[in-house]
Amino acid sequence: MASTDKAEGGIVDTIKQVFYALLIAGIFRAFFFQPFWIPSGSMKDTLLIGDFLFVNKMAYGYSQYSCEIPLVNVSFCPFVKGRVLSSEPEVGDVVVFKHPTSKVDYIKRLIGKPGDKIQMIDGVLHINGTALKTEPDGFFEEISRAQGPQRSPVRCFDNIPVGDGAICQKEKFIETLPNGVEHSILNIVNQPSDNTQVFTVPAQHYFFMGDNRDNSTDSRFSQLGGGVGYAHEDLLIGRADRVMFSSAGKSLFYFWTWRGDRFFKKIE
């Protein structure tokens, strides 16, 4: 009998330890750093499909959307109104946020803050009526093959098809934002999103764009059309600061496909 009680007690203790470990991991993920795996190419070449990073959730404070329990998407902060312990994001930050309607996590670059006027003219970004400095920086090259678990195809400059396994190029530029932040952007082809209306960012909202400008569904596109539109400040999850490692294969766990040049790479 004693040995049976001892075994049952051991099982209970194990269950408790697993429960507490999961609780601690959930709290860590909800309030401090959230893991994020890049699923699409909208932020190339800043972020590549298969990049694994941690999102700093302390950067902008917390809302009901930014402190969710993993997997079940239940918030630790369901009764929080607005944001608490909030800090203002900066233009140029790479931000993870909830899509305004689907509530799916997106990652884009912050381009416009409340009151800013944003417009694309002939592929050049204008903020508050001023064209941003944009300098050619050669080409971004990658192998033409299906990428990531979604097996996403790659697009090459001018939409010129190349054979599977061949080199695919995109024009690369360095764009300088009004606050001096420099970052890389890519150009594939002239398309309607290179010329837009003037977007005036509403109060408590932000305007986001992908660095892979011709392959990004972002704030240039309305929510009704599947885009992001303006994202309310409560939807901010956190700031992406550094790539931990990167997998070029179908799975995060295919370690033989990890990219050796992206370990602990700073996101700029």
Side-chain angles (χ1 to χ4, degrees), residues 5-163:
D5 291 343
K6 186 175 182 179
E8 290 176 352
I11 293 172
V12 171
D13 287 342
T14 299
I15 293 173
K16 286 181 179 180
Q17 290 174 14
V18 171
F19 172 78
Y20 289 134
L22 291 174
L23 179 62
I24 292 170
I27 292 173
F28 183 84
R29 183 221 188 254
F31 293 103
F32 299 103
F33 293 97
Q34 174 181 324
F36 194 87
W37 192 28
I38 303 300
S40 74
S42 68
M43 282 294 292
K44 291 178 181 177
D45 65 331
T46 303
L47 297 172
L48 304 181
I49 294 176
D51 280 353
F52 180 84
L53 50 90
F54 283 100
V55 179
N56 181 356
K57 304 186 82 169
M58 299 174 286
Y60 309 132
Y62 304 95
S63 73
Q64 61 176 311
Y65 299 108
S66 63
C67 50
E68 288 183 340
I69 301 172
L71 302 179
V72 294
N73 294 331
V74 176
S75 179
F76 271 111
C77 321
F79 304 112
V80 170
K81 301 299 181 183
R83 300 191 71 83
V84 297
L85 303 176
S86 62
S87 297
E88 184 77 8
E90 297 296 331
V91 170
D93 285 358
V94 176
V95 179
V96 172
F97 59 96
K98 292 287 186 185
H99 187 280
T101 55
S102 70
K103 299 303 186 288
V104 172
D105 288 350
Y106 271 51
I107 185 165
K108 306 286 182 186
R109 190 176 297 275
L110 176 58
I111 295 298
K113 298 169 76 170
D116 285 341
K117 297 182 183 298
I118 311 297
Q119 186 178 23
M120 292 289 290
I121 301 176
D122 295 331
V124 177
L125 179 60
H126 290 62
I127 299 181
N128 297 324
T130 300
L132 299 193
K133 179 183 176 183
T134 307
E135 298 181 320
D137 192 36
F139 287 86
F140 167 67
E141 295 185 344
E142 58 184 337
I143 303 297
S144 178
R145 64 165 60 101
Q147 298 182 344
Q150 300 175 1
R151 312 314 292 150
S152 303
V154 299
R155 294 176 61 194
C156 307
F157 180 66
D158 255 354
N159 281 335
I160 298 173
V162 299

Side-chain angles (χ1 to χ4, degrees), residues 116-249:
D116 285 341
K117 297 182 183 298
I118 311 297
Q119 186 178 23
M120 292 289 290
I121 301 176
D122 295 331
V124 177
L125 179 60
H126 290 62
I127 299 181
N128 297 324
T130 300
L132 299 193
K133 179 183 176 183
T134 307
E135 298 181 320
D137 192 36
F139 287 86
F140 167 67
E141 295 185 344
E142 58 184 337
I143 303 297
S144 178
R145 64 165 60 101
Q147 298 182 344
Q150 300 175 1
R151 312 314 292 150
S152 303
V154 299
R155 294 176 61 194
C156 307
F157 180 66
D158 255 354
N159 281 335
I160 298 173
V162 299
D164 189 60
I167 297 296
C168 175
Q169 291 186 326
K170 299 173 182 61
E171 283 188 318
K172 182 178 176 182
F173 298 85
I174 300 299
E175 180 178 84
T176 304
L177 294 166
N179 58 0
V181 172
E182 296 181 347
H183 66 102
S184 172
I185 59 172
L186 301 182
N187 175 61
I188 300 173
V189 67
N190 294 328
Q191 58 185 39
S193 57
D194 289 336
N195 290 280
T196 71
Q197 67 185 74
V198 176
F199 299 96
T200 302
V201 185
Q204 296 183 298
H205 288 74
Y206 295 99
F207 192 96
F208 292 97
M209 292 177 66
D211 291 347
N212 192 3
R213 291 284 163 80
D214 296 333
N215 201 46
S216 175
T217 303
D218 49 40
S219 292
R220 291 171 291 176
F221 304 91
S222 73
Q223 298 164 26
L224 295 177
V228 171
Y230 306 113
H232 193 275
E233 62 182 15
D234 288 356
L235 298 173
L236 302 186
I237 303 299
R239 186 181 64 226
D241 293 325
R242 193 173 295 273
V243 174
M244 304 308 292
F245 64 92
S246 181
S247 172

